[in-house]
Amino acid sequence: MPYGHRRGWGERVKATELSISGAWEFVPQRFADDRGSFHVWYDATVFSAALGFEFAVAQTNHSVSRRGVIRGIHWADVPPGQGKYVYCPRGALLDVVVDLRVGSPTFGAHEFVRLDDAEGRALYLAEGLGHGFVALEDDTVLSYLCSTGYNPARERIVNVFDEELALPWPAIAPPILSERDTGGPRLAELRAAGLLPDYADCLAHYRTLRGEA
């Protein structure tokens, strides 16, 4: 398992791939004393050792959400797509990864990962994976490192309550969504329209990132 090492710091970040290929969890070691605490939430050395390429940051995003806010499920057309490295510096949320890559062995599968300001873990989602989250506390902050800038013409959305995806959102009433997210299309509509990412295209893009194509 890849780790980041610095003199006197030991194993400061641990990287683990989730059951959906292209989704990685990064768990930092926290250092606490009477002043407070310190941890590394992104380490380029650990990232490149785990995934085989350097993460190029084109844009950083910052959202603040009330308890019960659901954002997602979003992704961008591949190529180039938009890889995301997400982190919660304040509050707590459940972040969800959804495999929307047609042809993937885990197509339609999802994983929830809790991100909060106590543990400081982060999550990376490769291009072609759907992303969303629900805020568990008021004033929850999510920070994103993005591999490409926002392009509204290539941004896609699938309905967070799609019965086919059957995402087990926690019972926080009432859920708060944007008008756009509330009216998002179902998975079947997107598949029929050819708007879902193709797994082969995604794999080709990942090889390009690793310098293999």
Side-chain angles (χ1 to χ4, degrees), residues 63-148:
S63 71
V64 182
S65 301
R66 296 163 51 193
R67 182 179 185 271
V69 165
I70 297 177
R71 299 181 189 263
I73 302 294
H74 303 151
W75 77 97
D77 291 340
V78 182
Q82 187 180 65
K84 297 176 182 176
Y85 190 99
V86 299
Y87 166 71
C88 177
R90 186 176 73 209
L93 59 92
L94 284 179
D95 205 275
V96 63
V97 183
V98 183
D99 192 348
L100 300 172
R101 303 166 299 185
V102 176
S104 167
T106 54
F107 175 76
H110 67 268
E111 278 212 44
F112 277 93
V113 177
R114 181 185 170 95
L115 305 181
D116 57 41
D117 56 13
E119 290 189 292
R121 70 184 62 223
L123 189 64
Y124 171 74
L125 302 91
E127 295 84 350
L129 295 177
H131 173 250
F133 70 90
V134 57
L136 302 177
E137 300 176 4
D138 285 336
D139 296 320
T140 288
V141 172
L142 188 66
S143 292
Y144 309 64
L145 304 181
C146 302
S147 64
T148 59

Side-chain angles (χ1 to χ4, degrees), residues 36-88:
S37 66
F38 173 88
H39 70 275
V40 174
W41 72 273
Y42 174 73
D43 187 315
T45 301
V46 172
F47 184 93
S48 59
L51 281 89
F53 64 92
E54 295 183 4
F55 185 63
V57 179
Q59 180 174 308
T60 62
N61 300 336
H62 179 97
S63 71
V64 182
S65 301
R66 296 163 51 193
R67 182 179 185 271
V69 165
I70 297 177
R71 299 181 189 263
I73 302 294
H74 303 151
W75 77 97
D77 291 340
V78 182
Q82 187 180 65
K84 297 176 182 176
Y85 190 99
V86 299
Y87 166 71
C88 177

